[in-house]
Amino acid sequence: MKPLFHKVPTSIQSSFEVRHNKEPNFGKIWHYHPELELHYVIKGEGVRFIGDNISNFGSGELILLGENLPHTWRCHEEYYQNKKELDVEAIVIQFLPDCLGKDFIHLPESFQIPKLFEKAKKGMIIHGNTKEMVMEQMKKAPNANHIDKLIILLNILKFLSETEEYTEITASHAFYQSNESDSIRLNKICSYTLSNYKKEITLKEIAAFSNLSVTSFCRYFKLMTKKTYYDFLIEIRISHACRLLIENKVPTEMICFECGFNNVSNFYRHFKKVAGITPMEYKKRYLSN
């Protein structure tokens, strides 16, 4: 889907942005920016949309996004209901590829940095010891000043550029051109789907909600997202099924209906297609880890 361009706020006294956010939620706007983004979720849960990928996120997740990679972290609906006991917390570092100087990445000693930036264009979920080392640096970053702040960024780039402890997020790193009216419409469609995925959503219903005919809606949605609305809806339902499987509080047969599927065999078929494994295999793999 086409995202909105987002201007990252930066101080004239800083070459890159560091924020320690504590808010009710992460917002809802699908957006992109030329800065790379390192995103450490300290607290919060929901569904994240990065490029062509839809997945759950939770506390402790560390992700590096490349320049102009569209993304949004959408918390579960209860985070938007002004519940005082629910809030989110994250440390975010955003920086342009040449924030340390246009010649920096061309130095012989920095040869791994451009390779890291290229890998980040598909998004990277950071794991293992690398994740722990980077998170420790990020915790120091909001209170660091002057050269200490630069040293922290350099340490982070060193750890990330040398590691193999990561998983790619998107299938490609195609850049999507922005259109404000399209973005507003798609954000509304996304919000409506996340609020109503448990019930049957017909093409007639979602098309009417979008002020389009069914034919125009199907053509429009496929053009914007490179997938059908039905496929998009299934991915949303499966992402929530994964969350319930991990929580291990509800029998698998009940999860089927909790996520909007009308029968168990249909649920199993779609889960295997999206996740590549069965619901039981998914649960065992997570619990064993």
Side-chain angles (χ1 to χ4, degrees):
M1 62 184 79
K2 289 190 176 182
L4 282 171
F5 173 80
H6 172 66
K7 178 67 174 71
V8 172
T10 54
S11 166
I12 194 170
Q13 298 176 330
S14 300
S15 55
F16 61 96
E17 178 72 8
V18 178
R19 296 193 309 277
H20 188 171
N21 297 330
K22 295 181 180 180
E23 300 171 303
N25 55 68
F26 289 129
K28 296 184 176 182
I29 302 300
W30 172 252
H31 65 281
Y32 71 95
H33 43 72
E35 292 84 358
L36 288 90
E37 178 171 318
L38 190 59
H39 195 110
Y40 168 31
V41 179
I42 299 173
K43 182 182 178 184
E45 291 184 334
V47 179
R48 54 173 162 75
F49 299 77
I50 297 175
D52 58 6
N53 179 269
I54 301 172
S55 298
N56 290 304
F57 74 85
S59 303
E61 184 174 78
L62 178 64
I63 284 180
L64 176 64
L65 302 177
E67 52 195 291
N68 295 321
L69 179 57
H71 58 278
T72 187
W73 273 259
R74 295 289 299 266
C75 295
H76 295 309
E77 283 304 308
E78 53 264 34
Y79 284 84
Y80 300 94
Q81 296 170 2
N82 297 320
K83 294 183 178 180
K84 293 183 178 180
E85 68 274 15
L86 284 177
D87 59 0
V88 299
E89 183 178 359
I91 298 176
V92 180
I93 298 178
Q94 295 166 316
F95 57 96
L96 290 166
D98 61 357
C99 73
L100 296 176
K102 295 186 182 298
D103 295 326
F104 172 75
I105 60 174
H106 300 299
L107 294 172
E109 294 84 359
S110 305
F111 75 96
Q112 291 175 307
I113 304 298
K115 295 180 181 179
L116 170 65
F117 292 170
E118 189 63 29
K119 289 188 289 187
K121 289 180 179 179
K122 290 188 176 183
M124 301 166 64
I125 304 174
I126 312 302
H127 307 295
N129 291 331
T130 305
K131 173 182 170 181
E132 298 302 320
M133 292 188 294
V134 172
M135 288 193 306
E136 283 303 310
Q137 293 294 311
M138 293 186 74
K139 290 173 184 176
K140 300 175 184 177
N143 298 317
N145 293 302
H146 311 305
I147 198 167
D148 289 332
K149 186 177 175 183
L150 287 176
I151 290 171
I152 287 172
L153 180 60
L154 285 171
N155 281 333
I156 289 172
L157 292 177
K158 168 184 163 58
F159 297 146
L160 293 176
S161 64
E162 293 176 348
T163 189
E164 295 295 329
E165 295 179 305
Y166 71 91
T167 303
E168 289 184 350
I169 298 175
T170 70
S172 63
H173 55 256
F175 171 61
Y176 305 87
Q177 294 295 324
S178 174
N179 178 291
E180 186 170 0
S181 62
D182 283 339
S183 298
I184 292 171
R185 174 179 280 162
L186 277 162
N187 275 309
K188 288 182 178 178
I189 292 169
C190 183
S191 294
Y192 185 86
T193 306
L194 285 168
S195 298
N196 296 279
Y197 69 91
K198 291 184 180 181
K199 70 180 186 70
E200 182 182 0
I201 304 176
T202 65
L203 284 175
K204 184 177 180 180
E205 176 186 350
I206 192 65
F209 176 78
S210 308
N211 295 317
L212 295 170
S213 69
V214 171
T215 302
S216 296
F217 173 81
C218 291
R219 187 186 307 116
Y220 163 82
F221 196 86
K222 184 68 178 288
L223 177 66
M224 296 299 105
T225 66
K226 309 301 187 229
K227 64 182 71 177
T228 67
Y229 178 76
Y230 183 67
D231 287 339
F232 175 75
L233 176 59
I234 292 297
E235 289 179 14
I236 294 290
R237 287 172 172 168
I238 295 301
S239 71
H240 284 276
C242 290
R243 175 196 178 194
L244 293 175
L245 286 166
I246 288 170
E247 289 177 350
N248 199 27
K249 296 178 181 177
V250 183
T252 304
E253 289 72 19
M254 292 293 294
I255 289 174
C256 158
F257 301 102
E258 281 287 315
C259 295
F261 293 96
N262 53 18
N263 64 71
V264 176
S265 61
N266 196 32
F267 168 61
Y268 272 72
R269 179 170 59 86
H270 285 299
F271 194 98
K272 182 75 177 289
K273 182 180 179 182
V274 173
I277 55 178
T278 68
M280 291 306 298
E281 288 171 333
Y282 182 90
K283 180 189 280 190
K284 287 179 181 177
R285 182 177 296 181
Y286 180 86
L287 294 178
S288 67
N289 288 335

